[in-house]
Amino acid sequence: MTQRKKLIEVALPLAEINDASAYDKMPGIGPHPKGIHQWWARLPLPTARAVLFASVVDDPSSHPERFPTEAAQIAERERLFDILRQLMQKKLHEHPEIYALAREEILKHCDGKLPPVLDPFAGGGSIPLEAARLGFESHAADLNPVAVLLNKCNLELVPRWLDQPAVNPEDRSQKSGGRRLVSGEWRGSRGLAADVRYYGRVVLERVRKKIGHLYPKVKLPKEHGGHEANVIAWLWARTVASPNPAARGAHVPLISTFWLSSKKGSEVWLVPVVDRAHDMWQFGVRTGTPEDRTAIKAGTKTGRAQFRCLLTNASIDDDYIKAEGVAGRLGMRLLAIIADGTRKRCYVPRSAEQEEIALAATPEWYPEGDVPVRLTGGTCTPYGLTAWGDLFTRRQLIALVTFSDLVREIRQDVLRDAVDAGLSPKDGEERAEAVTTFLALNLNRCADLGNSLCTWNHSDQVVRNLFKRQAIPMVWDFAEANILEDVVGGWSTCIERTAKCILTMSVSQISYGRQIDAASAWDDLQNILVSTDPPYYDNIGYAALSDFFYVWLRRTIGDLYPELFKTILVPKEPELVAAPERFGGDRQKAKDHFETGFRKAFTVLHEKMDHRFPLTVYYAFKQEDEEAGSEEEDDRSQETERRSQNGVDRTTGWETLLEALLGSGFQITATWPVRASQKWRMVAMGTNALASYIVLACRPRSTDAPQCSRREFIAELKRELPEALKHLQHGNIAPVDLAQASIGPGMAVFSRYARVMESSGNAMTVRTALSLINQTLDEVLAEQEAEFDVDTRWALAWFEQYGMAEGQFGDAETLSKAKNTAVSGLVEAGIVSARAGKVKLIGRDDLPEDWDPTKDRRRTVWEATQHLIRSLEQGGEGASAELLRRLGSGMGEMARELAYRLYKICERKGWSKEALSYNGLVVAWPEIVRLAHAPTSESQQPELFGND
């Protein structure tokens, strides 16, 4: 049967998908399913829903009987794009009618019955959640118990209680809005959210009664009223014995900054008060306008993990701190207290009484297990924080244990109230389990914000959580949030966030989350659509990181999910990650484990797939952190970054993934770069960073696929790649992503054959194929030069040899004859300057500001491109749009094509700064074109890239 091409195999509105995905990754965008619990490198929801939609919907070219002309196909494609654009709206959970519209369209392309969707590496659950929202029966599979639980929340617990009222007595009483709420008014997940909010408050009050004495108020100074106030947070510093014998073993603080508040006009900072005669120190609090902001910012830190002794100014180096930490000799000292003043935060110097209360606390339980000794983003273990219990202060442990105990106890309250509300005992048990599960997840949120690796954000004046990225870095001065108060890191604040996030998780199609190996037989599933974001090689150790949360979940709700929490820690060995430390440091064995696991999984999926639809796989080129910023990183993280930059990890990751896919019988039919970083347009213009994800569409390769020779493979590449490349450029692929996107059509040629044979008789490797695809891409881009005017072709050749530097006049003249032009004509065209026997391309800063393309008698694509870039960089998209309007769309499109070619030259030459300009022009092009066709007043209002 002839397979119909799907939209994802032909075209996507990438700009809109990128914008929506970037917004989805931003912190502080309001309630979102991701706020239920931390998960690392979570796939943006808009990306997931766009790929699912485009994997099912036919491309119009598959129906020549309905769309016989290219114009008709383009029109139909735009109609489908319009649906995709609606799916990219913000807060789509508030617009079920758009999901309904997309579902109606999808049904037309699968004979009226949606296939089940499987994500065998579900992780945080973006793909299964969006599949269920679109109406598919969704199956989320993972080996990681934490991931499985999150997917159960999304796909099972919330859908189970949709449109059902709260069971807590407060919301069932007359107190709720002055009248009784009836079932019909509890739309979506409001009832469940209300219960989580209510029972969360009950737990908090019970905790306050048990351990409230550990969280005393603080007396404010007279200038702040002199009354007692609630504490927002306590600011601590780790200490180490001074290495200078003159300090007589006194401990000194390791402080990364003296700032408490660096906000302009509201500056507050710590001032050291040192008594060298008695080897004593403390800190005062200063407000006003500081004289030396640099010294305040530095604290006692002098370099990476290097400090100065506050008593003697002696250097305290990294090795010394590590040795003291491993020996268990690091201390901690209270620096200051942040309190809730009448109108603003108040910063109070250290109180000996407050410090004594915190340090005297005695926890009865410590989390089991070891902190991972290796993480790509860094780990704190070299400094002696080797067990999960080491990451918390004594008071933090007591608080979390108390909350854990009382969350377990509240289950009986929920059951009693549920039965009183009219539920059967069985349904009451299920309601109690659901509420308790979300309270346990809330406890994990508090743990993320309530450990000794949390920092004080002095610009926003709030506590920052540990997992800002996929790492457990060492932190020297840390903030301890008051978990009993309504502050960032407080239980009530986290509960409110959890409840609001539950409201965004309404899914009418009940689906399934389960703990199962991706390579399982899947006996209960047939004819499935597979879309997955698998782990990327050795980038993130999900299992190791998850232990931080697992230990608290197991203690709190382990008896509710005995199959998930039967092991002391998260299972590590079967995890598909290329971690050499699990194989005695043997990288090859780690690579083999990763590739073998992938091949087994994809081989099974090959047999279970509905072959009407392509398999879609996300390759995370470099996982983006959701929020920038960190403290100390392990040396290994810097080595990883160096390896990533020079292509070691990049090549190995691509090879391994492609070899696994091809070896399990798939061929690649398309690749799409998706930028899911914050403000992606500005990122694309400001760096040469690659796309966050590459989405691969894959089809089963024919069982009777032939083999071909190397020469035949190259000939087919040269025949098919130009048209595919032209299509990608028309879709406005950023130049920085072009090489990755071209892998799709290139590997489509390579993977349609059982083998590509070398002259030696050996089968061509994936690495060789990738090299040939890139080589052909260079040739295709070079061939596009024939479309440019002769002056531009000369400028291209000169630029490739000299860049923006000077060259000999004789060389320029010789090249001009070969290109059928003359140096004098190039000077007249405004491309070069020639003096004293030297020739040089005119830089953008030296271009005439009054250039009018409508009056230029020798207009060139080169000149148009440089002027467009200058107007963009100096005046924004509006200024470039105004210039484009005068240039005309034909010349403008040629300028955009030239930018691709120039970017490729810059990339090969290592001219990264110059490359940014050409990449930026292409990235901004859709908006420039839109403004060029808009009323003049609009185009004169330049917009910021990435604005939401």
Side-chain angles (χ1 to χ4, degrees):
M1 182 181 72
T2 303
Q3 292 175 335
R4 296 194 297 239
K5 275 193 173 183
K6 298 299 178 180
L7 189 62
I8 196 169
E9 296 174 297
V10 178
L12 290 175
L14 275 184
E16 289 88 345
I17 295 171
N18 288 341
D19 279 340
S21 299
Y23 177 81
D24 193 75
K25 293 283 281 186
M26 289 175 63
I29 60 173
H32 189 286
K34 68 182 179 183
I36 292 296
H37 195 275
Q38 169 72 34
W39 192 260
W40 302 270
R42 191 191 297 259
L43 185 72
L45 298 182
T47 303
R49 75 176 75 108
V51 169
L52 286 165
F53 178 86
S55 297
V56 177
V57 172
D58 296 343
D59 184 75
S61 63
S62 295
H63 299 279
E65 73 285 356
R66 293 170 53 200
F67 310 105
T69 66
E70 185 174 349
Q73 292 175 14
I74 290 173
E76 173 63 8
R77 205 171 282 133
E78 275 301 311
R79 186 187 71 82
L80 297 173
F81 280 6
D82 283 340
I83 298 175
L84 267 174
R85 291 178 183 117
Q86 291 185 66
L87 284 171
M88 296 300 102
Q89 290 185 34
K90 300 170 185 173
K91 299 183 179 180
L92 203 63
H93 63 276
E94 298 177 357
H95 300 282
E97 72 280 1
I98 295 177
Y99 279 110
L101 173 67
R103 187 180 309 120
E104 181 182 356
E105 183 64 39
I106 290 171
L107 283 167
K108 297 176 185 176
H109 298 260
C110 52
D111 303 322
K113 184 179 180 181
L114 298 179
V117 170
L118 170 66
D119 181 354
F121 302 99
S126 294
I127 295 171
L129 175 60
E130 285 305 318
R133 284 172 157 178
L134 285 167
F136 297 93
E137 179 184 286
S138 183
H139 298 263
D142 208 292
L143 281 174
N144 190 308
V146 178
V148 175
L149 182 64
L150 297 184
N151 281 293
K152 282 185 174 293
C153 289
N154 289 344
L155 305 178
E156 298 177 18
L157 298 190
V158 173
R160 166 71 175 84
W161 298 106
L162 283 186
D163 302 325
Q164 298 197 36
V167 302
N168 72 81
E170 181 178 274
D171 283 300
R172 289 192 295 114
S173 72
Q174 295 295 324
K175 297 177 183 179
S176 186
R179 59 188 175 85
R180 185 182 180 86
L181 293 177
V182 297
S183 179
E185 294 173 303
W186 292 101
R187 292 189 302 276
S189 52
R190 293 180 182 179
L192 180 60
D195 281 344
V196 170
R197 189 181 281 116
Y198 171 82
Y199 293 107
R201 290 199 304 267
V202 173
V203 168
L204 176 59
E205 289 308 313
R206 293 176 181 177
V207 170
R208 278 181 174 150
K209 290 178 181 178
K210 294 192 73 170
I211 63 169
H213 62 281
L214 294 178
Y215 292 84
K217 295 178 182 289
V218 64
K219 187 170 183 179
L220 300 180
K222 290 183 179 179
E223 61 268 25
H224 292 296
H227 59 277
E228 287 192 331
N230 291 327
V231 175
I232 294 173
W234 293 266
L235 186 62
W236 299 84
R238 300 191 198 279
T239 64
V240 67
S242 172
N244 190 331
R248 295 183 288 273
H251 269 232
V252 291
L254 308 174
I255 305 178
S256 61
T257 181
F258 289 151
W259 279 121
L260 297 175
S261 169
S262 57
K263 184 179 180 181
K264 286 291 182 68
S266 302
E267 290 94 336
V268 186
W269 65 98
L270 294 169
V271 179
V273 180
V274 179
D275 180 356
R276 289 186 170 85
H278 298 90
D279 297 322
M280 298 176 65
W281 54 268
Q282 62 181 352
F283 283 92
V285 173
R286 186 77 55 83
T287 62
T289 304
E291 295 181 2
D292 187 354
R293 298 180 73 93
T294 303
I296 296 173
K297 181 180 179 181
T300 64
K301 191 175 181 180
T302 58
R304 184 184 174 278
Q306 293 183 324
F307 297 82
R308 63 179 176 84
C309 172
L310 200 60
L311 296 174
T312 67
N313 281 326
S315 176
I316 307 175
D317 64 26
D318 188 29
D319 289 339
Y320 176 77
I321 299 171
K322 286 178 178 176
E324 292 294 287
V326 169
R329 290 193 289 266
L330 289 184
M332 55 184 281
R333 177 89 172 265
L334 185 62
L335 298 178
I337 303 167
I338 301 101
D340 187 9
T342 305
R343 297 181 180 176
K344 62 179 182 179
R345 289 174 174 79
C346 295
Y347 295 87
V348 182
R350 164 190 174 271
S351 157
E353 180 184 2
Q354 291 270 345
E355 183 176 271
E356 183 179 347
I357 290 173
L359 296 180
T362 307
E364 297 179 357
W365 184 85
Y366 286 81
E368 297 180 77
D370 297 329
V371 177
V373 296
R374 180 193 179 278
L375 284 171
T376 301
T379 177
C380 60
T381 56
Y383 300 94
L385 305 186
T386 57
W388 292 118
D390 296 336
L391 305 190
F392 302 89
T393 68
R394 294 177 176 181
R395 179 163 58 187
Q396 286 172 333
L397 281 174
I398 289 176
L400 292 172
V401 167
T402 305
F403 273 107
S404 174
D405 291 340
L406 293 175
V407 166
R408 287 188 301 186
E409 292 179 10
I410 203 71
R411 194 186 317 164
Q412 294 305 314
D413 295 64
V414 184
L415 172 59
R416 180 194 65 237
D417 294 340
V419 172
D420 289 346
L423 296 184
S424 68
K426 181 178 181 301
D427 287 345
E429 286 278 4
E430 291 183 9
R431 183 64 169 227
E433 290 175 5
V435 172
T436 307
T437 297
F438 281 105
L439 292 178
L441 294 180
N442 193 73
L443 176 67
N444 273 355
R445 175 69 182 166
C446 290
D448 187 22
L449 282 158
N451 58 79
S452 69
L453 296 177
C454 293
T455 54
W456 179 251
N457 186 336
H458 50 78
S459 57
D460 293 336
Q461 300 180 70
V462 293
V463 174
R464 300 178 73 196
N465 64 314
L466 163 59
F467 287 113
K468 297 176 284 291
R469 57 198 180 92
Q470 50 268 13
I472 306 178
M474 186 60 178
V475 171
W476 307 108
D477 42 331
F478 62 92
E480 179 191 6
N482 189 340
I483 195 171
L484 301 188
E485 294 302 322
D486 190 15
V487 300
V488 173
W491 174 267
S492 59
T493 305
C494 293
I495 278 288
E496 186 60 29
R497 171 175 172 162
T498 297
K500 288 180 178 178
C501 290
I502 290 173
L503 295 175
T504 71
M505 296 168 61
S506 298
V507 175
S508 57
Q509 173 67 55
I510 292 184
S511 296
Y512 309 95
R514 46 185 170 168
Q515 187 178 31
I516 191 169
D517 193 311
S520 297
W522 302 106
D523 293 333
D524 57 335
L525 291 177
Q526 294 290 338
N527 298 320
I528 54 178
L529 187 160
V530 180
S531 184
T532 188
D533 178 17
Y536 165 54
Y537 208 59
D538 64 348
N539 200 15
I540 301 177
Y542 295 97
L545 289 168
S546 296
D547 280 341
F548 177 89
F549 297 116
Y550 180 90
V551 293
W552 294 107
L553 288 172
R554 186 170 186 265
R555 186 183 195 280
T556 310
I557 55 172
D559 60 323
L560 291 180
Y561 305 93
E563 289 304 309
L564 287 183
F565 296 101
K566 59 188 175 185
T567 56
I568 294 177
L569 296 171
V570 174
K572 307 292 191 305
E573 293 306 318
E575 183 185 28
L576 263 187
V577 60
E581 64 272 16
R582 295 184 191 170
F583 299 91
D586 191 320
R587 289 191 170 275
Q588 185 58 47
K589 285 185 179 179
K591 179 178 182 294
D592 292 344
H593 166 73
F594 185 78
E595 185 179 342
T596 300
F598 259 0
R599 187 176 298 220
K600 285 180 180 177
F602 288 130
T603 299
V604 171
L605 296 172
H606 184 285
E607 300 302 318
K608 294 292 183 177
M609 280 177 55
D610 186 330
H611 291 178
R612 294 176 298 169
F613 312 110
L615 162 77
T616 49
V617 180
Y618 296 81
Y619 174 90
F621 210 104
K622 178 185 177 184
Q623 301 286 7
E624 297 287 343
D625 298 333
E626 295 215 1
E627 186 178 354
S630 64
E631 291 297 318
E632 297 305 323
E633 295 186 8
D634 189 78
D635 291 334
R636 283 180 290 267
S637 68
Q638 295 187 349
E639 174 62 21
T640 298
E641 182 64 21
R642 285 193 292 271
R643 291 170 61 228
S644 178
Q645 289 173 354
N646 68 27
V648 175
D649 286 343
R650 184 178 301 171
T651 301
T652 303
W654 261 123
E655 272 188 85
T656 306
L657 177 63
L658 292 173
E659 285 171 354
L661 280 168
L662 272 56
S664 52
F666 284 99
Q667 67 179 84
I668 316 296
T669 57
T671 55
W672 297 101
V674 176
R675 291 189 171 273
S677 56
Q678 299 169 29
K679 298 185 179 179
W680 74 272
R681 285 199 181 113
M682 186 62 81
V683 169
M685 290 184 64
T687 73
N688 282 327
L690 290 156
S692 306
Y693 302 92
I694 302 295
V695 183
L696 300 94
C698 313
R699 294 277 194 175
R701 185 172 55 244
S702 172
T703 54
D704 59 353
Q707 65 181 35
C708 74
S709 67
R710 178 189 180 102
R711 177 174 294 182
E712 289 171 320
F713 169 57
I714 294 174
E716 284 196 56
L717 273 182
K718 291 183 176 180
R719 183 168 57 251
E720 296 187 22
L721 202 56
E723 186 63 29
L725 180 60
K726 189 175 182 180
H727 191 79
L728 287 169
Q729 289 175 322
H730 285 169
N732 213 64
I733 291 287
V736 69
D737 295 327
L738 189 61
Q740 303 306 314
S742 66
I743 288 175
M747 290 306 295
V749 175
F750 179 77
S751 59
R752 73 172 62 125
Y753 294 103
R755 294 180 190 80
V756 175
M757 303 304 296
E758 299 277 18
S759 57
S760 63
N762 297 322
M764 181 180 289
T765 64
V766 167
R767 174 171 288 201
T768 300
L770 290 173
S771 176
L772 290 172
I773 291 168
N774 195 52
Q775 179 181 318
T776 307
L777 172 64
D778 284 345
E779 293 172 3
V780 172
L781 287 173
E783 289 170 2
Q784 289 181 349
E785 294 179 18
E787 302 175 13
F788 302 138
D789 55 85
V790 293
D791 292 344
T792 297
R793 294 205 297 271
W794 179 93
L796 259 172
W798 185 265
F799 179 77
E800 187 162 12
Q801 185 173 357
Y802 294 100
M804 303 306 293
E806 287 184 334
Q808 296 296 325
F809 182 89
D811 294 339
E813 187 68 21
T814 300
L815 181 61
S816 69
K817 290 177 180 177
K819 299 295 183 182
N820 199 26
T821 184
V823 173
S824 58
L826 295 166
V827 173
E828 179 187 345
I831 290 178
V832 301
S833 62
R835 62 173 64 90
K838 301 288 185 180
V839 173
K840 180 179 181 292
L841 288 167
I842 296 175
R844 283 184 292 276
D845 291 341
D846 298 323
L847 292 173
E849 294 185 5
D850 59 350
W851 182 64
D852 185 350
T854 63
K855 297 179 181 179
D856 192 334
R857 294 181 299 172
R858 191 161 176 161
R859 220 169 44 159
T860 66
V861 177
W862 177 275
E863 192 177 19
T865 304
Q866 304 303 330
H867 275 284
L868 280 167
I869 291 173
R870 191 179 75 162
S871 63
L872 174 64
E873 293 178 344
Q874 294 183 358
E877 292 158 321
S880 288
E882 180 60 32
L883 178 57
L884 177 60
R885 188 181 290 113
R886 285 180 287 152
L887 275 170
S889 59
M891 178 64 81
E893 285 298 324
M894 294 290 284
R896 187 177 72 108
E897 289 187 16
L898 177 60
Y900 278 106
R901 176 71 177 127
L902 289 170
Y903 177 87
K904 192 67 177 175
I905 293 172
C906 292
E907 182 185 48
R908 189 168 58 251
K909 296 284 189 177
W911 300 336
S912 57
K913 185 176 180 180
E914 183 72 9
L916 297 179
S917 297
Y918 303 116
N919 193 59
L921 179 64
V922 175
V923 169
W925 193 253
E927 184 65 7
I928 293 172
V929 172
R930 186 188 73 80
L931 291 173
H933 290 89
T936 305
S937 59
E938 183 181 354
S939 68
Q940 289 174 347
Q941 299 293 325
E943 298 182 4
L944 294 175
F945 297 123
N947 259 15
D948 293 296

